[in-house]
Amino acid sequence: PSIVLFFDEIEELVKERGPDHKGGSEGLITLMTRMNEGRLDPRIIIIAATNKYDMIDDAIRDRFKNHTMVPRPDLSGRHDILKIMTKPLSLSANVDLKSMAKQTHGLSGRGLKKIVMGSVDEMILRGRREGINPRVISAADCANALDTEILGLESKLKLSALEKEATALHEAGHA
């Protein structure tokens, strides 16, 4: 029998070392040292995943035999992911998952999950505002969650005309 060790978001454990050569957790560094020295039991299989490949120290990265890059899902993949994630939920008939998939170009499964969970949160908030206990996620709930994930939370900050002009000039400087 083998033991599979799976590290998700491994970059949190083995961040690239700074000039002082410090970084990563002590336990994982010990494990990687044993991998390097061949002292690890061959029945132990180590698998790691990351969305931030460039943050992992080269010395750690090189200890892994195979590297597989998984691209972000295409339109069909995003649609399939949304169907799977919303399967246990009650959606209004006007919720169009295909349209949501079209609006989420470049998002990973994690981003799509945040939109689905955000839709549930929006349904609950709508229920509180309206004094009801909704059981169905509406298209508006999904649209609000999508906007929040892609654009961020709406700012309630009130800027004066002078502050708006200064901000516009600053942003134009970036362009």
Side-chain angles (χ1 to χ4, degrees), residues 46-159:
I46 300 176
I47 301 172
T50 183
N51 289 328
K52 300 174 182 173
Y53 188 76
D54 58 324
M55 287 183 64
I56 299 172
D57 188 275
D58 288 339
I60 301 295
R61 205 180 321 172
D62 293 343
R63 285 181 173 89
F64 286 90
K65 186 176 180 181
N66 298 314
H67 299 231
T68 304
M69 302 300 265
V70 179
R72 296 192 185 244
D74 61 5
L75 175 62
S76 174
R78 292 190 307 276
H79 185 232
D80 290 343
I81 290 169
L82 288 169
K83 283 193 295 190
I84 290 167
M85 289 181 176
T86 58
K87 190 174 184 176
L89 305 174
S90 296
L91 301 177
S92 171
N94 64 352
V95 172
D96 184 358
L97 296 179
K98 188 76 163 181
S99 175
M100 283 178 67
K102 287 179 183 175
Q103 297 175 63
T104 55
H105 177 77
L107 289 187
S108 65
R110 181 175 185 238
L112 295 171
K113 181 178 180 181
K114 287 172 72 177
I115 291 170
V116 170
M117 298 313 296
S119 298
V120 173
D121 293 343
E122 289 291 335
M123 176 189 68
I124 293 167
L125 292 171
R126 176 173 48 86
R128 286 188 183 153
R129 281 191 303 270
E130 298 173 3
I132 60 171
N133 187 7
R135 302 261 186 232
V136 177
I137 297 170
S138 72
D141 297 330
C142 293
N144 289 338
L146 185 67
D147 287 348
T148 300
E149 176 60 23
I150 293 173
L151 303 173
L153 291 171
E154 182 180 347
S155 175
K156 303 291 184 197
L157 184 65
K158 302 291 183 195
L159 298 176

Side-chain angles (χ1 to χ4, degrees), residues 12-37:
E12 292 302 319
L13 297 172
V14 292
K15 290 182 179 162
E16 191 161 3
R17 293 178 284 187
D20 58 358
H21 298 289
K22 293 190 179 185
S25 72
E26 197 171 315
L28 194 58
I29 298 298
T30 301
L31 178 65
M32 297 300 175
T33 302
R34 287 188 176 195
M35 284 173 67
N36 199 40
E37 296 171 349

